Amino acid sequence: MTSRPTDVVVVGAGIIGCAVACELARRGASVQLVDERQAGMGATQASAGMLAPYKEASAGSPLLDFAVRSLDLFDDFVTRASSDSGVAVPYRRTGTIDVALQEGAMGKLRATAALLASRGVAAEIVDGHTARGEEPHLTADVIGGLLIPAHGFVAAGDLTRALATSARRHGTQVIEGGRVVRIAPAGGDMLVATERGTLTGNAVVLAAGSWSGQIDIAGLVARVPVRPVRGQLLRLGWNGAALRRVTWSDRCYLVPWDDGTLLVGATAEDAGFDERATAAGVRDLLEAACDVVPHAWAAGFLGARVGLRPATPDDLPIIGASHVLPNLFYATGHYRSGILLAPLTAQLVADAMLDGRIDPALAALRPQRFGDV
Ligand code: GLY
């Protein structure tokens, strides 16, 4: 950033854009938040809201420490979003169980447990009998599992609505129905051209998820290499006692909601910008769910959701200022972990933009690892 921006245009109203807009506005910036869709209606609406860093991030990846830090912020993040907005946000820290049906999978769980022990993270390897005691719906074929009590889940749609409402209450102008086509510097300002008119600010945050590389940015030869990875997620109407916690197998995860809905995720497909559910995706997820929890065959089928995860070549987010246009800041490429990483991303983006404080964790996430952007 050349100087502390006062007027910021945030491009993209998914969980990341809403969290960033909210944090900037809360700290006194004048913010416009723009998206073609309603807030949270891109990849965010298809998220199961899992908060499981020890499952999603591998040992040694900078993502792991970043995700663990972000998880630590979640209690306060949800409480503040909810109280500032008046929107209830269902949020549970009931842990996860990762189950194995074969010895090979069990070996991987033991390796994960050893890693967690070396970090001082509570986790427990259990045998099949104990796993079924914890989750009576598990198939008799389960030979063991790994319990991680720190994990949880949050209603991603409600959280995003809460953040958007809270951003509005802090003065943010939320512009829905405005597809951004071009970002360009003009004098000391930045212009954001949408199909409905042009917005002006003295800084821009690009948080457009899978679409971040599609927007024309004047003066930039390269674009950030974000590509869509389609995720299909099923909603089932569960009958009877719910699962107690998020349950993972090799082929799917299951997230139980108090309203009796069970979410089953997720496919990971290179399908370009095609946001349709497919028969194959639905069948694969149903089979995977029923293999681990056979009672799922009795569930009602409530529908499928589809989202395009914003993936990067190294599976790490892109967070930091452009070197070509210093008033352009990237907050994108959160791939499978946008919900989990939202609190820390918002905090570090606001620290960098408003206070010039660059957290050391951002070194691995710099946009310049992908060239002159
Ligand atoms: N974080 C889970 C998924 O992307 O499917």
Side-chain angles (χ1 to χ4, degrees):
M1 295 289 117
T2 47
S3 60
R4 188 185 204 273
T6 51
D7 301 293
V8 184
V9 181
V10 178
V11 176
I15 183 98
I16 296 296
C18 288
V20 167
C22 189
E23 188 63 15
L24 291 172
R26 212 172 61 82
R27 296 201 205 173
S30 167
V31 179
Q32 299 172 89
L33 172 63
V34 59
D35 200 308
E36 181 177 9
R37 306 179 192 196
Q38 286 187 329
M41 292 313 287
T44 301
Q45 55 75 37
S47 167
M50 283 183 305
L51 305 171
Y54 300 111
K55 179 69 189 171
E56 293 279 11
S58 47
S61 164
L63 186 61
L64 182 56
D65 287 337
F66 199 88
V68 169
R69 276 178 69 189
S70 200
L71 181 63
D72 286 345
L73 300 176
F74 241 92
D75 287 357
D76 290 344
F77 186 69
V78 170
T79 302
R80 192 168 55 223
S82 195
S83 64
D84 282 2
S85 64
V87 176
V89 179
Y91 167 58
R92 305 276 177 272
R93 291 290 285 274
T94 42
T96 52
I97 184 166
D98 201 338
V99 299
L101 281 78
Q102 295 107 18
E103 197 41 53
M106 200 62 220
K108 286 189 193 149
L109 296 187
R110 286 195 197 94
T112 304
L115 169 78
L116 295 182
S118 73
R119 289 181 65 108
V121 177
E124 187 186 355
I125 287 284
V126 293
D127 62 17
H129 178 75
T130 308
R132 279 186 293 281
E134 291 288 334
E135 290 293 351
H137 287 296
L138 288 174
T139 169
D141 297 336
V142 163
I143 61 169
L146 174 64
L147 291 160
I148 305 179
H151 285 161
F153 57 103
V154 66
D158 292 322
L159 177 58
T160 308
R161 269 187 293 285
L163 290 165
T165 303
S166 167
R168 276 195 188 93
R169 290 191 176 174
H170 286 104
T172 297
Q173 188 191 355
V174 180
I175 301 140
E176 291 165 342
R179 191 168 78 88
V180 171
V181 290
R182 185 173 161 85
I183 298 170
D189 282 336
M190 296 288 282
L191 305 182
V192 175
T194 79
E195 285 173 334
R196 295 202 177 169
T198 299
L199 309 172
T200 307
N202 46 27
V204 171
V205 179
L206 183 53
S210 286
W211 289 266
S212 299
Q214 303 293 306
I215 297 169
D216 178 33
I217 304 179
L220 252 69
V221 179
R223 296 188 189 181
V224 283
V226 182
R227 70 174 209 288
V229 173
R230 183 166 70 189
Q232 303 186 42
L233 181 88
L234 308 184
R235 287 179 62 234
L236 304 183
W238 189 256
N239 302 309
L243 298 179
R244 294 177 185 154
R245 54 175 75 72
V246 175
T247 301
W248 293 77
S249 75
D250 274 357
R251 291 164 57 215
C252 69
Y253 50 77
L254 309 170
V255 183
W257 288 96
D258 290 350
D259 66 0
T261 308
L262 183 75
L263 297 180
V264 181
T267 63
E269 308 160 75
D270 283 313
F273 286 90
D274 183 350
E275 293 179 277
R276 290 173 300 178
T278 64
V282 172
R283 179 205 58 198
D284 288 353
L285 290 171
L286 283 175
E287 285 181 357
C290 295
D291 278 358
V292 68
V293 178
H295 186 60
W297 284 124
F301 182 73
L302 303 180
R305 294 182 185 158
V306 181
L308 302 179
R309 304 178 186 86
T312 62
D314 58 9
D315 292 346
L316 295 176
I318 299 170
I319 306 175
S322 163
H323 281 183
V324 184
L325 299 175
N327 290 337
L328 172 66
F329 207 95
Y330 293 97
T332 188
H334 290 69
Y335 190 33
R336 299 177 60 94
S337 303
I339 312 301
L340 173 59
L341 302 183
L344 187 60
T345 299
Q347 182 181 302
L348 298 192
V349 168
D351 286 350
M353 292 183 76
L354 302 182
D355 302 332
R357 271 187 291 135
I358 310 296
D359 190 279
L362 295 182
L365 312 182
R366 294 165 69 248
Q368 289 71 35
R369 69 192 194 274
F370 297 122
D372 207 13
V373 295

